């Protein structure tokens, strides 16, 4: 199983406020290679499917509403130890607890609207990459 990719999503709050450019710049400067990229608006069903593991959580319905509320930018990123390295770059789930200089600290506005998603394991990175991208949409 390859361990050099992770799946990132710039969430609707960050797209809405014009943060695609600044976030992509941070990703580039941190040494990640973008090997797939697209802007899409998820349906409620697609957002439910993506966040299936959180179905029983109290915030599930609200999260699905939010993630389908506007366009998002999905990408596959390549880097050594991509999952862990990217989680370091984005910071804690709660922007208030995230380290200074992280994407969530800079652009997150609440636990839910925390600006960006990053896969939490190699297995999920591979699954999530296939959720968004077909073979002819990814380059590596
Ligand atoms: P992660 O994105 O840091 O991996 P998860 O626990 O996997 O965090 O949660 C997925 C997403 O669900 C978070 O990024 C955030 O948008 C949302 N979320 C998590 N916990 C809460 C909460 O307590 N209230 C509202 N939204 C939450
Ligand atoms: Mg997670």
């Amino acid at each position: 199983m390859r361990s050099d990719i992770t799946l990132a999503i710039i969430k609707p709050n960050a797209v809405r406020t014009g943060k695609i450019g600044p976030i992509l710049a941070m990703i580039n400067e941190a040494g990640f290679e973008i090997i797939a990229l697209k802007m899409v608006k998820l349906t409620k069903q697609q957002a439910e499917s993506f966040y299936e593991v959180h179905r029983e959580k109290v915030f599930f319905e609200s999260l699905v509403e939010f993630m389908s509320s506007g366009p998002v930018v999905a990408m596959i990123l390549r880097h050594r130890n991509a999952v862990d390295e990217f989680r370091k770059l984005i910071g804690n789930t709660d922007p208030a607890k995230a380290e200074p200089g992280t994407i969530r600290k800079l652009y997150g506005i609440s636990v839910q609207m925390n600006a960006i998603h990053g896969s939490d394991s190699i297995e999920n990175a591979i699954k999530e990459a296939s959720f968004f991208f077909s073979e002819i949409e990814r380059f590596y």
Side-chain angles (χ1 to χ4, degrees):
M1 198 182 286
R2 67 186 295 188
S3 61
D4 63 338
I5 61 163
T6 192
L7 187 282
I9 308 172
I10 302 177
K11 297 187 179 185
N13 68 291
V15 172
R16 216 174 270 136
T17 56
K19 300 303 186 299
I20 297 173
I23 290 173
L24 290 180
M26 286 181 72
I27 289 170
N28 277 326
E29 279 155 26
F32 291 85
E33 184 187 355
I34 297 170
I35 62 172
L37 180 82
K38 65 164 75 161
M39 190 168 186
V40 288
K41 185 168 184 288
L42 298 174
T43 64
K44 270 192 70 172
Q45 271 187 334
Q46 288 166 334
E48 280 172 8
S49 168
F50 184 81
Y51 280 115
E52 190 59 42
V53 294
H54 293 304
R55 187 171 282 280
E56 303 309 321
K57 306 271 171 65
V58 286
F59 59 81
F60 181 71
E61 203 172 322
S62 168
L63 176 62
V64 164
E65 281 293 334
F66 166 57
M67 288 301 289
S68 58
S69 69
V72 297
V73 174
M75 65 199 107
I76 303 175
L77 302 174
R78 185 161 68 182
H79 194 285
R80 184 172 154 275
N81 297 326
V83 167
D84 291 344
E85 289 303 316
F86 194 64
R87 297 286 302 197
K88 275 187 229 161
L89 179 65
I90 71 179
N92 194 282
T93 305
D94 181 354
K97 295 178 188 153
E99 292 290 321
T102 59
I103 295 175
R104 283 171 165 172
K105 183 64 159 193
L106 285 166
Y107 302 120
I109 52 179
S110 68
V111 177
Q112 180 168 274
M113 298 189 189
N114 56 9
I116 190 145
H117 166 85
S119 307
D120 65 1
S121 67
I122 294 166
E123 190 186 23
N124 283 336
I126 289 166
K127 226 187 279 179
E128 292 174 3
S130 301
F131 178 90
F132 278 99
F133 298 98
S134 71
E135 282 307 306
I136 61 164
E137 293 175 314
R138 42 196 292 180
F139 309 91
Y140 56 95

